[in-house]
């Protein structure tokens, strides 16, 4: 029996593309829970939103969090609902502006 391919959500793919342009930070959670480690890292480093945090739980598992003005969110939620985050709308427009500026300079 042939296995069907999983359908990829266009909205989620678009959200993933937008998150690629956001600064990323990789940390290890150590003894803390992943969310606690992410919050402590944000506080200690003074990270300004928007930012993506990759928290390594163990050698096989990495949790992804998005730091926004509104708080800390799971990256998958943000990928699916990127239009709810104003800081991502600004980031979304920047690549288009750069391509327009490059076209003008030619």
């Amino acid at each position: 029996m042939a296995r069907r391919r999983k359908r990829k959500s266009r909205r989620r793919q678009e959200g993933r593309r937008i998150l690629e342009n956001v600064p990323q930070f990789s940390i290890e959670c150590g003894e803390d829970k992943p969310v606690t480690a992410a919050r402590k890292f944000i506080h200690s480093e003074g990270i300004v939103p928007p930012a993506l945090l990759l928290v390594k739980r163990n050698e096989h598992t990495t949790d992804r969090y998005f730091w926004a003005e509104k708080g800390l969110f799971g990256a998958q939620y943000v990928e699916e609902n990127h239009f709810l985050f104003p800081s991502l709308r600004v980031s979304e427009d920047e690549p288009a502006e750069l391509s327009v500026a490059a076209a003008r300079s030619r």
Side-chain angles (χ1 to χ4, degrees):
M1 188 160 96
R3 192 162 185 214
R4 289 181 56 187
R5 293 169 91 193
K6 188 175 180 182
R7 186 177 153 267
K8 293 194 176 183
S9 164
R10 283 195 183 121
R11 185 176 8 169
R12 185 153 176 219
Q13 284 180 322
E14 185 181 345
R16 188 172 278 255
R17 225 175 293 118
I18 292 169
L19 282 182
E20 286 175 359
N21 299 323
V22 174
Q24 292 187 6
F25 299 92
S26 295
I27 60 171
E28 292 193 18
C29 65
E31 295 295 315
D32 296 324
K33 292 182 179 179
V35 176
T36 306
R39 291 186 185 282
K40 285 181 179 178
F41 183 76
I42 290 166
H43 182 69
S44 67
E45 298 294 318
I47 297 173
V48 186
L52 194 63
L53 289 126
L54 307 172
V55 183
K56 192 166 178 138
R57 230 193 287 177
N58 57 39
E59 60 185 272
H60 304 293
T61 311
T62 302
D63 292 336
R64 298 169 55 235
Y65 298 102
F66 178 74
W67 175 235
E69 295 86 3
K70 301 173 186 178
L72 194 63
F73 295 88
Q76 184 174 341
Y77 173 79
V78 177
E79 287 173 355
E80 294 169 357
N81 300 291
H82 56 87
F83 49 86
L84 297 174
F85 297 88
S87 60
L88 288 179
R89 273 190 225 122
V90 173
S91 299
E92 182 179 346
D93 295 339
E94 285 176 7
E97 291 173 10
L98 291 175
S99 62
V100 170
R104 287 182 188 161
S105 64
R106 290 181 189 163

